[in-house]
Amino acid sequence: MAFFSSGSRALVEILTRIQSAERPMPVDLTFFEFGSIRYHVEASASDPENAYLSISTPPLSHEASPSSSGLPEATLQEARKAYHKFAEVVEPPREGYVLTLKLNFSGLARPKDRVKAINQVSRLQSLVLSSQLRDMLGSLGPSGTMKLVCSQREPFFVSRTAERIHAIFPMRFRDDTDLAIATSFFQELQDLGNSFAGAPRCSWSPIPPPELRGEHVHRLTTNGGFVSFGVLSRHARGKKRAARTAWILLNFQAFVKYHIKCTRSHIQSRMRQRLEALTEVIQDASLRGGNDAKTTRSQAVVKKRSKRRLISFAKANTKLKKGLRAILDKIKRLRLRIRVKGLDRLRRQCRCFAVPKLPVPPRRKDHRYHKLASVKSSEQG
């Protein structure tokens, strides 16, 4: 939550470098924070003990008339009281700024005290804005409503009643996803925030609350509804507590945007993790499928080989059968009658010796037609 800290990290870094430098170094820097708060740090090598810090903040409300110096006298008195040990308020401030401080940390001997003083100076913006807000709330009187502009695009309203002060924030979002996340956040904030007795009462409504009756329509045109906080007197009792309460109210809209960004980042990281997990599952399945394909291919090869073996065995069996048939035919031929050419003529010429006749094996008769003929003859008879 460093972004919503009341101290400026850039200012801490610059002042720390100036104090820790071995040799005096000239510094002339201008930088912005939150888009509208401008700082100017100036230090010279001829006067290394003194550094000038100027700050410029836009007025929180154009309805309130600022003083001639740019800040209320109460804010100047509070700055003198907070930084009297090591700083002085320069009057008038530098041109274009509302407050200028002359810093001198040489009176602080211990490094720990210097670090503490630098951190205290970095909360100058919180002191200025909180003091302005308290001064405006005091100018409201027992009742009234005022429009405050901490950021040009994000105004909010402060309404005062006899019992409490209501801070009302019209919420506007450009993206539908941001709108959905913010709506869920406001509902949870309303349900859980009101369960604590010491916390300001929070309410969210899609329509303007009764405190904003009479305001212009273009000021009340929103798509995220209205979030309001009821600040009691005990929440602003004491300067530190009042400053902290004012700083929280001034940065509520920035905190909502921060929460939305963090939520979207968390959702996207979870989606990436889920996608990686699903990708691993798909890859494992594809690897297993590859192994199954390999086994299927091997099984197919085995089947092909077995089929080839069966085919070759069938061919061998056919050849064997043919060989057996040829042998049987040869054996049958040996059993048939042997005829020699010219033997019958020699036997007719030479009747002096008889040539024995070889027995002729009976021929096979085809009884298929004889049976049919015999059946027909029997029927005719």
Side-chain angles (χ1 to χ4, degrees):
M1 297 297 295
F3 180 77
F4 301 101
S5 176
S6 57
S8 173
R9 298 179 62 182
L11 188 58
V12 170
E13 185 177 354
I14 292 170
L15 295 178
T16 303
R17 288 184 179 181
I18 294 174
Q19 293 299 315
S20 60
E22 297 180 356
R23 296 179 180 180
M25 49 184 290
V27 177
D28 189 2
L29 294 176
T30 303
F31 61 95
F32 291 83
E33 283 190 349
F34 298 99
S36 58
I37 300 176
R38 183 177 58 171
Y39 290 96
H40 180 258
V41 181
E42 183 182 357
S44 61
S46 60
D47 189 9
E49 294 183 356
N50 296 323
Y52 295 88
L53 172 63
S54 301
I55 184 172
S56 174
T57 59
L60 291 179
S61 176
H62 297 284
E63 300 173 2
S65 59
S67 61
S68 58
S69 61
L71 287 177
E73 186 62 27
T75 304
L76 298 177
Q77 291 295 335
E78 189 173 351
R80 292 189 185 99
K81 186 177 180 180
Y83 307 130
H84 70 280
K85 292 183 180 181
F86 51 85
E88 297 177 3
V89 177
V90 178
E91 293 182 1
R94 299 292 175 86
E95 185 179 358
Y97 297 91
V98 296
L99 179 63
T100 300
L101 295 178
K102 182 181 178 181
L103 306 176
N104 189 348
F105 300 105
S106 60
L108 304 176
R110 296 188 304 176
K112 183 178 181 181
D113 295 339
R114 292 189 178 185
V115 173
K116 185 177 180 180
I118 290 173
N119 292 329
Q120 189 175 356
V121 172
S122 68
R123 292 190 288 269
L124 180 61
Q125 58 174 345
S126 175
L127 184 145
V128 173
L129 294 175
S130 302
S131 178
Q132 288 183 1
L133 182 58
R134 290 198 306 270
D135 184 70
M136 291 174 185
L137 292 177
S139 64
L140 283 175
S143 63
T145 303
M146 182 180 292
K147 177 185 176 183
L148 303 181
V149 183
C150 183
S151 178
Q152 296 180 358
R153 298 181 180 179
E154 298 172 351
F156 66 100
F157 298 89
V158 176
S159 176
R160 187 167 187 171
T161 60
E163 298 179 353
R164 65 186 67 189
I165 297 172
H166 296 274
I168 305 168
F169 298 90
M171 307 306 298
R172 300 176 178 87
F173 303 97
R174 296 181 179 180
D175 192 1
D176 295 338
T177 304
D178 296 348
L179 178 61
I181 296 173
T183 303
S184 176
F185 171 69
F186 296 150
Q187 292 175 354
E188 293 181 2
L189 185 64
Q190 180 180 1
D191 297 338
L192 298 179
N194 296 332
S195 61
F196 298 96
R201 185 172 181 81
C202 175
S203 62
W204 174 79
S205 174
I207 60 176
E211 290 81 6
L212 297 182
R213 291 177 180 175
E215 294 291 334
H216 296 285
V217 178
H218 68 275
R219 293 184 178 182
L220 305 180
T221 304
T222 63
N223 59 352
F226 297 83
V227 182
S228 61
F229 294 94
V231 182
L232 300 177
S233 59
R234 66 172 181 268
H235 298 136
R237 189 177 301 165
K239 291 185 178 181
K240 290 185 178 180
R241 184 176 295 181
R244 183 172 179 81
T245 302
W247 182 253
I248 291 173
L249 293 177
L250 291 172
N251 290 275
F252 173 73
Q253 293 173 328
F255 174 76
V256 171
K257 290 185 177 181
Y258 174 79
H259 173 76
I260 291 173
K261 288 182 179 180
C262 292
T263 305
R264 295 188 68 166
S265 176
H266 176 69
I267 293 172
Q268 291 174 1
S269 62
R270 293 291 301 273
M271 291 175 65
R272 283 194 293 269
Q273 292 177 1
R274 182 62 177 169
L275 179 61
E276 291 176 358
L278 293 176
T279 304
E280 291 180 358
V281 172
I282 293 173
Q283 289 179 354
D284 294 340
S286 62
L287 291 175
R288 293 177 182 175
N291 295 331
D292 295 340
K294 289 181 180 179
T295 54
T296 306
R297 290 177 183 176
S298 60
Q299 291 177 359
V301 171
V302 171
K303 288 182 179 179
K304 288 182 180 179
R305 290 179 180 177
S306 60
K307 287 181 180 179
R308 290 177 182 177
R309 290 177 181 176
L310 291 174
I311 292 170
S312 60
F313 180 75
K315 290 181 179 179
N317 191 13
T318 304
K319 292 181 179 181
L320 182 61
K321 287 182 178 180
K322 289 182 178 180
L324 291 175
R325 287 178 182 175
I327 294 171
L328 292 175
D329 292 341
K330 289 181 179 181
I331 294 172
K332 289 179 180 179
R333 289 175 184 175
L334 291 174
R335 293 179 61 188
L336 294 175
R337 177 180 177 183
I338 299 173
R339 299 181 64 181
V340 182
K341 293 182 179 182
L343 183 60
D344 294 337
R345 188 176 57 182
L346 179 62
R347 186 176 57 185
R348 285 194 299 268
Q349 292 177 359
C350 301
R351 295 181 181 271
C352 55
F353 58 93
V355 179
K357 295 182 179 181
L358 295 174
V360 179
R363 294 183 179 178
R364 293 182 181 180
K365 296 181 180 180
D366 194 356
H367 300 285
R368 181 167 48 186
Y369 299 102
H370 294 289
K371 286 183 180 179
L372 290 175
S374 60
V375 171
K376 287 182 182 181
S377 59
S378 62
E379 288 178 358
Q380 290 177 0

